[in-house]
Amino acid sequence: MCDINTVIVKNLKHCFLFILMGFFISCQSDDDNQPQPEDSMNGFWLAESKGYIIEISDKKNVMYNVNAAGCVLVDDNFVAEETFGMTLDQVSANELVGVSKLSASDVKFTRLTNQNELCLPDQIAKTDDPKINFDHFWNIFNDYYAFFETRNVNWSQYERLRDQVTSENFYEILEELVVQLEDGHVSIEDEANDIEIGSGSPNLLARLNANLSGDLIIESGDDYDRLNAQRLEIIGSEYLDGVFELDESKNIGWGLINNNIVYINILGMEGYGFDDNGSDELEILNAVLDRMMNDIKDSEISKLIIDTRFNGGGYDMVSVAIASRFVGQERLAFSKKARLGNAFTESTSISVAPKGDFQFTGDIVLLTSPVTASAAEIFALCLKDLPYVTIVGENTNGVFSDILGHTLPNGAQVGLSNEMYSDAQGVVYEAIGIGPNKEENKVPFFSTIDFTEEKDSVIDRAVEILSK
């Protein structure tokens, strides 16, 4: 199975979703179980809200996933920077914190007095048995998924499907369950069996096809890529006259419309990468933003379109870094918290503050679409309440959480939404998305008439607003 959601929203936040490595560890040495000094990181540590246990010793570092059904060994050569993109800092004898400058929140680990009983060597699940794998799948969501009520799904009733599961229908049953969530951050991937299931695919397809007809109907990833390329070509030729700047990573492009409106297209919130000098993602991004903002300042133009319609996401703090170039003063942007049992962790609040030598605070129209997802929606959270920002297009995808990754006993990977984001007023846009406030500003991303007439009605509406 291959789902279009994987192709379209391919840059969704990748925190904690990683490739399975590892094999069964049969025993531990006596040295590993000896009491450790208070300042030692050696021992077992639990990230309760994530269902992660890490074992740190002088000889090896091991990572496990844990849920109410049991424990799965994920990596017997665990390196936090490679697996999480985080560094682990010990803040006390009994607390570690996973920190990343690309993430809007830290991950807290607490020391376990003893190895978790579910993760003893003879309790670790590694099997293809479909019923055991179903037990883990159902419990991973039951323990950590944050939006059953929001998405109107009664998960408890599906536990009984265990009796119907066989090797032949295992993934069919799992697909039936996750598709009900209509969550673009929920996925199942089994590379060994060429399985890819995306929960949000049917809903996303329906939204994209709502104003398309005939040969333009999207039925596959190739269909989307074709229309996507056509739309970008129309923007480049018909609106920018073939003249625009593009950063080295091809994530941000900018140019002029009618010589009096700056147009910026932000295609991704990750992938700026490392340069030859070892500079990191945010350093390279900020250098690109400095260059772009200098161009805008030199143009002396006071009207701007920011296009995020093609943006499937990336890192929270990349979004905040870009947003910092469009605010005049520090302001609360959003808060986030993770599911923890029947409640949530304490909220982390993120502010966006002016950065760089020049911030644009003139009239801005922000373009959004159903493909605008994840960290691209975080960008919308940062800008939507500014008095000089108007949103035009369609509501965003409605998936804000970092993707929590877990591994089934058969090696398949499961991704799910574990965190709740809210705006500065405490409003949650999960499953709803962020979009235009006025009816006249609701314009479809794709439409038959646009492709037939080689135009972009969303940009046309933005230009109309900025020309008043």
Side-chain angles (χ1 to χ4, degrees):
M1 304 176 196
C2 180
D3 77 278
I4 192 172
N5 202 57
T6 302
V7 177
I8 296 177
V9 194
K10 60 186 176 182
N11 288 324
L12 296 180
K13 287 181 234 176
H14 64 261
C15 298
F16 309 129
L17 193 56
F18 44 84
I19 301 301
L20 172 72
M21 301 188 330
F23 56 94
F24 188 78
I25 291 180
S26 60
C27 62
Q28 289 180 251
S29 71
D30 292 339
D31 291 341
D32 291 337
N33 289 322
Q34 295 301 312
Q36 300 294 333
E38 284 195 359
D39 62 348
S40 172
M41 288 178 64
N42 286 1
F44 289 88
W45 301 86
L46 169 67
E48 187 177 4
S49 66
K50 306 299 179 186
Y52 293 159
I53 292 177
I54 55 175
E55 173 192 359
I56 299 175
S57 73
D58 295 334
K59 297 182 179 179
K60 62 186 177 184
N61 295 335
V62 183
M63 178 177 170
Y64 309 89
N65 290 160
V66 64
N67 63 78
C71 180
V72 174
L73 186 149
V74 177
D75 192 344
D76 66 346
N77 188 26
F78 166 73
V79 179
E81 291 83 357
E82 296 177 3
T83 303
F84 295 146
M86 290 184 167
T87 58
L88 290 177
D89 296 334
Q90 187 167 8
V91 297
S92 71
N94 295 311
E95 184 176 336
L96 296 180
V97 176
V99 179
S100 169
K101 57 186 174 182
L102 293 172
S103 176
S105 61
D106 301 333
V107 178
K108 178 182 176 182
F109 291 83
T110 54
R111 187 187 292 274
L112 297 174
T113 305
N114 299 298
Q115 185 172 2
N116 187 290
E117 62 181 12
L118 293 175
C119 289
L120 294 171
D122 60 351
Q123 298 296 318
I124 297 172
K126 184 181 173 88
T127 177
D128 290 328
D129 185 300
K131 295 189 186 313
I132 293 176
N133 277 278
F134 181 86
D135 288 341
H136 279 258
F137 170 81
W138 185 89
N139 278 286
I140 288 168
F141 278 82
N142 196 57
D143 291 348
Y144 304 111
Y145 188 68
F147 298 110
F148 290 126
E149 184 176 350
T150 300
R151 296 184 178 273
N152 196 30
V153 173
N154 178 9
W155 191 251
S156 61
Q157 67 178 317
Y158 299 116
E159 187 176 15
R160 66 176 184 270
L161 292 178
R162 180 187 196 275
D163 296 335
Q164 302 176 27
V165 172
T166 66
S167 297
E168 290 72 25
N169 67 15
F170 176 68
Y171 284 113
E172 292 178 6
I173 289 179
L174 264 55
E175 183 171 17
E176 290 175 6
L177 294 186
V178 299
V179 165
Q180 294 185 59
L181 296 170
E182 296 185 350
D183 184 337
H185 273 173
V186 169
S187 62
I188 303 167
E189 181 177 0
D190 183 341
E191 285 190 345
N193 292 297
D194 195 27
I195 299 293
E196 289 183 5
I197 299 170
S199 169
S201 304
N203 184 52
L204 179 57
L205 271 177
R207 293 180 66 184
L208 291 174
N209 283 325
N211 294 280
L212 294 174
S213 59
D215 294 341
L216 293 171
I217 293 293
I218 300 171
E219 296 179 345
S220 68
D222 289 341
D223 290 341
Y224 173 79
D225 287 343
R226 174 173 50 84
L227 293 188
N228 190 67
Q230 282 184 244
R231 173 48 53 84
L232 289 172
E233 184 177 346
I234 289 171
I235 293 172
S237 61
E238 300 299 321
Y239 292 86
L240 302 176
D241 294 326
V243 180
F244 54 88
E245 297 288 327
L246 193 64
D247 83 296
E248 289 74 8
S249 69
K250 299 182 179 180
N251 269 321
I252 300 182
W254 63 95
L256 295 179
I257 295 177
N258 300 332
N259 290 318
N260 63 359
I261 297 173
V262 176
Y263 171 84
I264 300 172
N265 197 324
I266 306 172
L267 296 164
M269 297 302 187
E270 67 174 339
Y272 297 87
F274 291 82
D275 65 14
D276 293 337
N277 297 317
S279 298
D280 66 13
E281 186 101 5
L282 290 178
E283 286 181 279
I284 297 171
L285 169 65
N286 282 316
V288 171
L289 294 175
D290 287 342
R291 174 182 157 204
M292 181 182 74
M293 298 308 293
N294 284 336
D295 285 351
I296 295 174
K297 181 180 180 181
D298 291 344
S299 74
E300 297 184 346
I301 291 174
S302 61
K303 300 179 185 300
L304 175 65
I305 295 171
I306 303 178
D307 197 341
T308 62
R309 291 175 297 167
F310 307 84
N311 193 322
Y315 298 108
D316 285 352
M317 299 314 291
V318 166
S319 300
V320 173
I322 298 173
S324 72
R325 304 307 180 104
F326 304 102
V327 296
Q329 60 184 19
E330 184 170 356
R331 58 188 292 134
L332 175 63
F334 62 91
S335 298
K336 61 181 291 191
K337 57 187 178 181
R339 182 181 165 191
L340 180 59
N342 294 322
F344 284 87
T345 60
E346 184 177 336
S347 287
T348 298
S349 295
I350 304 298
S351 295
V352 57
K355 189 168 185 177
D357 295 333
F358 169 70
Q359 299 85 42
F360 184 95
T361 56
D363 292 337
I364 297 175
V365 175
L366 175 65
L367 311 186
T368 58
S369 81
V371 177
T372 308
S374 197
E377 298 182 89
I378 304 305
F379 181 75
L381 278 179
C382 291
L383 296 191
K384 73 178 184 65
D385 293 329
L386 295 170
Y388 45 87
V389 172
T390 302
I391 298 179
V392 171
E394 297 179 80
N395 278 27
T396 60
N397 196 280
V399 289
F400 292 80
S401 172
D402 289 335
I403 299 174
L404 175 64
H406 270 245
T407 303
L408 298 179
N410 68 357
Q413 298 171 68
V414 175
L416 60 150
S417 297
N418 170 248
E419 298 172 325
M420 181 179 292
Y421 283 67
S422 57
D423 71 3
Q425 292 75 43
V427 178
V428 175
Y429 289 89
E430 185 76 20
I432 301 170
I434 298 168
N437 292 324
K438 295 181 178 180
E439 195 65 31
E440 59 265 32
N441 293 336
K442 297 178 181 179
V443 187
F445 180 33
F446 288 160
S447 68
T448 297
I449 190 170
D450 273 12
F451 287 106
T452 301
E453 299 184 4
E454 295 189 345
K455 67 179 183 178
D456 189 324
S457 294
V458 184
I459 292 181
D460 289 343
R461 177 56 185 157
V463 171
E464 182 183 354
I465 291 170
L466 293 172
S467 299
K468 292 179 179 179

